[in-house]
Amino acid sequence: SQTIHQWPATLVQPVGSPLSLECTVEGTSNPNLYWYRQAAGRGLQLLFYSVGIGQISSEVPQNLSASRPQDRQFILSSKKLLLSDSGFYLCAWSIRSGTEAFFGQGTRLTVV
Amino acid sequence: GQNIDQPTEMTATEGAIVQINCTYQTSGFNGLFWYQQHAGEAPTFLSYNVLDGLEEKGRFSSFLSRSKGYSYLLLKELQMKDSASYLCAVGRGSYIPTFGRGTSLIVHP
């Protein structure tokens, strides 16, 4: 069966510090991978998606970046965090020709 | 681009029926999803509609009208544990889910 792992669950970082959130998927090959952000009281905002290794599409311009160094690994990064980067970050995957997306447990990031 | 609208908040009584509506405007439509999200947790998948009509799954049903850009999620025999946010999401292009802001459902005794 397929599983998705996302860590850490919670993170408190100072403004200007770097960020690295990692997500890995097991039990499937060549998945579509996604990073979403959910601000308090807001919907899920798609940040990045990837349809293959090294292929990253950005939906929203910002100071975040994403990379996919391996088929089932998706990393969200920032060189310098802003206060506005605080939120609930969710990694998700779906099969290439499939339907629903499956979400990781999420990372609650607080930038102070 | 995409535009997905759903009510911000709804309240209902335990044991009752509630309908949560979602309207959308999008290009390259590839289906409509409903997710449930409890506070502080990740969304979990409820239903997927790609053809017009009603899909029933236990206490939850979902309806789609592609010509009207309209869907609803119907929850029957409401339970307290159904208190959560319900997210409408539209699939487009390479099955990329785009989410609305979600409807916060409060079920009271």
Side-chain angles (χ1 to χ4, degrees):
Chain A
S1 63
Q2 301 89 0
T3 56
I4 179 169
H5 303 280
Q6 182 183 344
W7 65 93
T10 59
L11 191 60
V12 180
Q13 290 284 102
V15 169
S17 64
L19 173 74
S20 180
L21 301 180
E22 188 164 343
C23 171
T24 59
V25 180
E26 296 178 356
T28 188
S29 296
N30 208 19
N32 285 359
L33 295 172
Y34 315 91
W35 277 111
Y36 287 88
R37 178 171 60 200
Q38 187 174 39
R42 303 286 299 276
L44 290 170
Q45 180 186 35
L46 180 63
L47 302 176
F48 300 95
Y49 68 92
S50 172
V51 298
I53 296 174
Q55 301 179 59
I56 308 296
S57 296
S58 174
E59 290 287 296
V60 181
Q62 61 225 312
N63 70 320
L64 299 171
S65 62
S67 61
R68 185 171 178 173
Q70 300 180 41
D71 180 45
R72 290 169 288 178
Q73 184 185 28
F74 206 23
I75 298 172
L76 182 69
S77 304
S78 174
K79 292 182 179 178
K80 288 185 178 182
L81 284 169
L82 306 173
L83 286 175
S84 58
D85 291 325
S86 294
F88 191 41
Y89 288 82
L90 289 152
C91 179
W93 74 273
S94 66
I95 62 176
R96 186 159 301 278
S97 58
T99 58
E100 68 268 28
F102 301 93
F103 287 84
Q105 67 173 8
T107 297
R108 187 160 303 281
L109 172 66
T110 304
V111 183
V112 297
Chain B
Q2 303 81 41
N3 188 25
I4 302 171
D5 290 314
Q6 50 182 130
T8 302
E9 187 175 294
M10 299 182 69
T11 59
T13 304
E14 190 176 16
I17 300 173
V18 70
Q19 177 175 313
I20 302 174
N21 296 325
C22 172
T23 58
Y24 64 89
Q25 294 175 318
T26 187
S27 57
F29 179 79
N30 267 324
L32 189 133
F33 307 84
W34 283 97
Y35 286 80
Q36 180 190 62
Q37 185 179 24
H38 285 99
E41 299 181 7
T44 55
F45 170 76
L46 290 178
S47 68
Y48 171 66
N49 294 67
V50 65
L51 300 176
D52 288 354
L54 187 68
E55 295 279 344
E56 297 187 72
K57 191 184 294 185
R59 293 190 298 116
F60 293 1
S61 303
S62 56
F63 172 83
L64 175 66
S65 169
R66 289 174 299 173
S67 61
K68 296 182 179 179
Y70 168 69
S71 173
Y72 68 73
L73 180 70
L74 192 71
L75 292 77
K76 304 176 184 177
E77 301 171 12
L78 280 173
Q79 303 174 9
M80 298 298 290
K81 67 178 182 179
D82 296 329
S83 292
S85 285
Y86 290 87
L87 309 176
C88 172
V90 173
R92 62 177 176 94
S94 301
Y95 301 94
I96 303 165
T98 302
F99 287 81
R101 289 175 176 264
T103 298
S104 177
L105 173 66
I106 301 170
V107 180
H108 54 82

